[in-house]
Amino acid sequence: MASTKPDVPAWLGFYNGAEHIMRLKGRCLVRLGDGAAAVTALEEAVQALPVHYVRERSGTLIDLAIARLMPSRTGHTSAVEPEAAATAALEAWELAVQTGSGRNQRRVRELLPQLQPYRQLGAVRTLLEAAP
């Protein structure tokens, strides 16, 4: 959604879009340690991102995977969703390969050690095989 104000540069409209605000909000919530709130924001962002924002979708899916691997704010690991995290990370990996994004490929690979304990799960195994 581009800005409609004449005094705002057109390129800035890219960052003012609701989908970008939601993905940046989700990334901030991950950094603040609020995985549950981050999942909500990042899922909304993934739904809102236009299909042609491939690299942004990949990065947002990586953040979503990270959020799904976070314990609850009280430290309970019951909030950890390794299969959902692996599914998001696999989609992110495929998009990162498609766009040639070395940064997003690296970010997915950085998640792999956290997923190793869950390698018996189908989605995790698929990711571990796809992102060597």
Side-chain angles (χ1 to χ4, degrees):
M1 227 181 252
S3 173
T4 57
K5 293 184 177 186
D7 58 337
V8 175
W11 62 268
L12 189 57
F14 173 87
Y15 298 102
N16 286 339
E19 63 277 5
H20 297 296
I21 293 168
M22 289 310 299
R23 71 187 183 91
L24 295 173
K25 176 183 177 181
R27 180 172 286 178
C28 288
L29 288 164
V30 165
R31 291 182 179 167
L32 290 170
D34 192 345
V39 166
T40 300
L42 293 164
E43 284 180 340
E44 187 175 329
V46 168
Q47 293 300 314
L49 279 169
V51 294
H52 60 277
Y53 288 177
V54 180
R55 194 175 307 235
E56 292 83 1
R57 179 176 302 281
S58 177
T60 303
L61 287 165
I62 295 165
D63 291 333
L64 180 58
I66 293 167
R68 290 195 177 281
L69 289 172
M70 295 174 71
S72 71
R73 290 189 73 124
T74 59
H76 294 290
T77 58
S78 61
V80 174
E81 301 175 276
E83 198 139 28
T87 299
L90 180 59
E91 185 178 348
W93 174 260
E94 292 167 349
L95 295 172
V97 169
Q98 176 187 333
T99 60
S101 175
R103 178 182 55 192
N104 283 345
Q105 289 177 38
R106 177 186 47 76
R107 289 185 67 212
V108 170
R109 285 189 183 114
E110 289 171 353
L111 283 173
L112 300 181
Q114 289 179 268
L115 289 164
Q116 279 293 338
Y118 307 101
R119 63 186 166 276
Q120 76 281 2
L121 299 173
V124 174
R125 191 171 43 253
T126 301
L127 173 64
L128 293 172
E129 292 168 1

